[in-house]
Amino acid sequence: MSQKIFLYWGSGSPPCWRIQLVLEEKNFKYEQKLLSFERQEHKSEEIMKLNIL
């Protein structure tokens, strides 16, 4: 059984780029959502709930 991969990422973040490069190199299918650091989207309630898991 394969698990769905969902990547939340922020433009200008080298750690995010590393993950994207690996996903692309390995030809993994994934969905993505670009978060704005400027608008503090990475600190939104939705994202913070994910970080607790």
Side-chain angles (χ1 to χ4, degrees):
M1 180 190 303
S2 74
Q3 207 171 0
K4 191 176 201 177
I5 300 171
F6 200 97
L7 176 65
Y8 292 91
W9 63 285
S11 181
S13 171
C16 293
W17 295 342
R18 289 183 192 125
I19 300 301
Q20 284 179 303
L21 286 171
V22 169
L23 291 171
E24 291 294 329
E25 279 289 318
K26 300 288 184 178
N27 285 324
F28 286 125
K29 302 288 184 219
Y30 65 99
E31 294 182 44
Q32 60 181 319
K33 180 177 180 182
L34 174 61
L35 301 174
S36 170
F37 292 133
E38 201 171 271
R39 293 191 305 256
Q40 300 288 308
E41 290 176 343
H42 63 295
K43 294 183 179 181
S44 70
E45 187 176 330
E46 173 190 5
I47 302 302
M48 292 309 215
K49 283 181 184 178
L50 292 172
N51 287 331
I52 292 173
L53 303 175

